[in-house]
């Protein structure tokens, strides 16, 4: 039996109104076209106009959906990432440390994912190997800093402005960029989190 959750996962536009479905599918078509062209030709050899043509939309439509430029085309808006980070901290199992929760969340994404599909592996290699895409990915992680600091502060009984909270959050959010291009990304990620775990005085 097919559940609604499975349907929604297969089609991100499922469950939306007609206008929202159209916007989501246009955005998905642009992302797929950009990824295809970036992979085939290289990021620097692909123009916004070529991506629009590949997705069969006008250039103006492309910028309406993705105003941040072509480096943003293969990423989401960062909302799911931010909500996931906050939930990882707030909804972690009893007795699990904040840092362990963040390690588990980040460890399930990007270059740290265990047994990724060939397509996912190609996308990850494209991002980590392309400075503009890697920089945009880092910006999306750092954009979660304030929300994550609020969650960590609430869970540890500290003020969000406490420098220990800000430092922990900032360094955790730098892990994908810092460790993602290492020869062994997972081992590099674990090394950073081991260091954070040793220095963090909270739960």
């Amino acid at each position: 039996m097919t559940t609604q959750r499975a349907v929604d996962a297969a089609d991100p536009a499922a469950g939306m109104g007609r206008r929202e479905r159209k916007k989501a599918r246009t955005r998905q078509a642009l992302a797929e076209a950009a990824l295809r062209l970036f992979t085939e030709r290289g990021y620097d050899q692909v123009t916004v106009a070529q991506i629009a043509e590949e997705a069969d939309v006008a250039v103006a439509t492309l910028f309406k959906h993705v105003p941040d430029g072509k480096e943003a085309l293969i990423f989401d808006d960062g909302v799911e990432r931010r909500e996931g980070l906050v939930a990882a901290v707030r909804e972690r199992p009893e007795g699990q440390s904040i840092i362990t929760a963040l390690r588990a969340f980040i460890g399930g994404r990007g270059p740290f994912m265990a047994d990724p599909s060939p397509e996912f592996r190609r996308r990850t290699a494209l991002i980590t190997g392309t400075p503009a895409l890697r920089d945009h990915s880092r910006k999306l992680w750092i954009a979660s800093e304030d929300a994550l600091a609020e969650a960590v502060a609430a869970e540890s009984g500290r003020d969000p402005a406490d420098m220990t909270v800000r430092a922990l959050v900032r360094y955790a959010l730098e892990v994908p960029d810092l460790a993602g291009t290492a020869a062994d990304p997972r081992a590099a990620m674990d090394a950073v989190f081991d260091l954070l775990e040793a220095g963090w005085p909270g739960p």
Side-chain angles (χ1 to χ4, degrees), residues 19-189:
R19 179 176 295 182
E20 288 73 21
R21 286 199 303 272
K22 183 177 180 181
K23 287 175 63 177
R25 285 173 178 149
T26 298
R27 181 68 179 79
Q28 185 175 2
L30 286 167
E32 291 172 352
L35 181 59
R36 186 162 54 249
L37 291 176
F38 292 162
T39 301
E40 291 173 355
R41 306 178 189 179
Y43 174 84
D44 292 328
Q45 280 64 55
V46 177
T47 66
V48 167
Q50 290 169 333
I51 296 168
E53 181 179 1
E54 181 80 4
D56 196 24
V57 302
V59 172
T61 300
L62 183 152
F63 280 114
K64 180 179 178 181
H65 286 272
V66 191
D68 293 333
K70 72 174 186 175
E71 63 269 24
L73 278 164
I74 64 171
F75 298 95
D76 58 27
D77 59 8
V79 172
E80 178 272 336
R81 186 183 319 226
R82 182 170 63 252
E83 292 177 347
L85 283 161
V86 170
V89 170
R90 289 182 171 165
E91 300 171 14
R92 70 192 190 283
E94 185 176 356
Q96 184 182 74
S97 72
I98 289 171
I99 294 179
T100 297
L102 290 173
R103 186 199 301 247
F105 179 83
I106 293 174
R109 301 180 68 102
F112 313 113
M113 181 181 289
D115 195 26
S117 68
E119 181 181 354
F120 190 89
R121 190 178 291 111
R122 285 193 296 272
R123 179 181 181 277
T124 299
L126 174 68
I127 292 170
T128 57
T130 306
L133 296 178
R134 181 177 166 185
D135 184 59
H136 190 78
S137 177
R138 178 179 177 273
K139 288 177 181 177
L140 288 175
W141 282 105
I142 296 301
S144 299
E145 182 173 345
D146 289 343
L148 184 57
E150 291 280 351
V152 170
E155 292 296 310
S156 61
R158 290 172 169 78
D159 189 291
D162 185 321
M163 189 50 63
T164 59
V165 171
R166 304 303 299 194
L168 169 64
V169 168
R170 173 65 64 87
Y171 281 115
L173 294 177
E174 290 284 5
V175 168
D177 183 64
L178 181 64
T181 57
D184 185 340
R186 183 77 194 200
M189 182 200 77

